[in-house]
Amino acid sequence: MAVHLLERLATEAIGLAADALEVEYKDGFEEVFVSIGQIGFCITRFESSSDAAVRLREACDRLSRQKHPRRISVDGLEYGLRCSTSDSFGEDAFQLTLRPSPRTQADGVAAARRPALRPEV
């Protein structure tokens, strides 16, 4: 069940064309941020004592110890999900990278992540 929560958050981040997902503790909450290039913003937060926050931390911790990325499928495209851990003021912080899988067709990935072109004036 914890993996499902992490996959749902990763799917939402991919839908926003994010490169990364971060989970950090702040003021009694586990906050989930997405990063799109140099821009980042919070998409959700869970009270740190809640079951969802505990499951999310456990899933991130398990993923950070895996040698190979976890594969997830979003809209028919495959992505690799990796996690690293860092210290943030004495608490574990998790950084998840979201990368298109080499198995996925390059045209499909480019089309899914490319912003719409504006006509030249």
Side-chain angles (χ1 to χ4, degrees):
M1 183 122 139
V3 173
H4 298 298
L5 175 59
L6 186 57
E7 286 182 6
R8 280 198 336 256
L9 292 170
T11 299
E12 184 174 343
I14 290 167
L16 294 168
D19 306 305
L21 188 68
E22 296 184 27
V23 179
E24 268 188 52
Y25 172 83
K26 184 177 180 185
D27 299 330
F29 290 89
E30 298 299 323
E31 295 187 339
V32 181
F33 297 89
V34 295
S35 299
I36 304 168
Q38 297 293 326
I39 299 172
F41 55 92
C42 183
I43 58 170
T44 191
R45 63 189 210 154
F46 302 98
E47 191 171 329
S48 290
S49 61
S50 70
D51 289 339
V54 171
R55 291 192 322 256
L56 179 59
R57 285 191 307 268
E58 288 172 352
C60 288
D61 187 55
R62 273 194 307 274
L63 184 59
S64 70
R65 288 189 255 130
Q66 289 182 358
K67 291 182 182 180
H68 301 289
R70 178 166 179 77
R71 304 258 179 238
I72 63 171
S73 181
V74 178
D75 294 331
L77 303 175
E78 193 172 292
Y79 291 83
L81 185 60
R82 287 188 181 268
C83 184
S84 61
T85 308
S86 65
D87 180 71
S88 177
F89 301 102
E91 301 287 335
D92 284 338
F94 301 98
Q95 296 81 33
L96 295 99
T97 55
L98 310 163
R99 300 263 165 85
S101 173
R103 298 178 192 175
T104 303
Q105 294 179 358
D107 292 338
V109 172
R113 295 187 63 118
R114 183 184 316 131
L117 297 176
R118 295 182 189 179
E120 291 185 30
V121 179

